[in-house]
């Protein structure tokens, strides 16, 4: 069974499918930004190695959950996720 894109089911769903993709893209951008900010905080000495590791583990879990949700929704190969 292959999931059909929303526009093949009903043209009125295209907007909601795009909204889901946009949210996925925004969530990925937030994770990427958080990683950069953590690295800066670590470089400035505001985070210990342990704190930095803990925060990276949290972000890794968020990344995993996002990828699972994208796969569940059939978005893993979408335009927004070619990163």
């Amino acid at each position: 069974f292959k999931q059909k894109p929303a526009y093949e089911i009903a043209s009125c769903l295209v907007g909601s499918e795009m909204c889901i993709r946009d949210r996925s893209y925004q969530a990925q951008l937030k994770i990427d930004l958080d990683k950069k900010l953590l690295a800066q905080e670590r470089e400035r000495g505001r985070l210990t190695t342990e704190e930095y590791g803990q925060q990276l583990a949290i972000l890794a879990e968020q990344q995993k959950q996002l990828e699972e949700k994208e796969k569940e929704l059939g978005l893993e190969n979408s335009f927004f996720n070619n990163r």
Side-chain angles (χ1 to χ4, degrees):
F1 173 75
K2 184 172 178 174
Q3 183 176 357
K4 291 183 177 182
Y7 63 84
E8 289 182 13
I9 298 169
S11 61
C12 64
L13 294 178
V14 174
S16 61
E17 182 180 63
M18 290 172 61
C19 184
I20 291 168
R21 286 184 181 159
D22 287 349
R23 280 186 295 203
S24 176
Y25 179 66
Q26 290 169 351
Q28 182 59 53
L29 287 177
K30 182 181 180 320
I31 290 170
D32 292 345
L33 179 61
D34 286 349
K35 286 179 183 178
K36 289 178 183 177
L37 292 174
L38 279 175
Q40 289 177 351
E41 292 297 298
R42 178 67 188 118
E43 288 173 11
R44 294 177 178 152
R46 295 182 182 159
L47 288 174
T48 65
T49 302
E50 184 178 346
E51 291 169 329
Y52 180 66
Q54 290 171 345
Q55 293 300 316
L56 283 180
I58 290 169
L59 290 175
E61 180 60 30
Q62 290 175 355
Q63 177 77 43
K64 180 181 172 187
Q65 290 173 358
L66 178 61
E67 289 171 0
E68 289 171 357
K69 191 56 136 174
E70 288 173 346
K71 188 173 183 178
E72 178 183 317
L73 295 171
L75 300 174
E76 70 273 13
N77 294 317
S78 74
F79 169 78
F80 293 113
N81 297 318
N82 292 328
R83 46 189 183 264

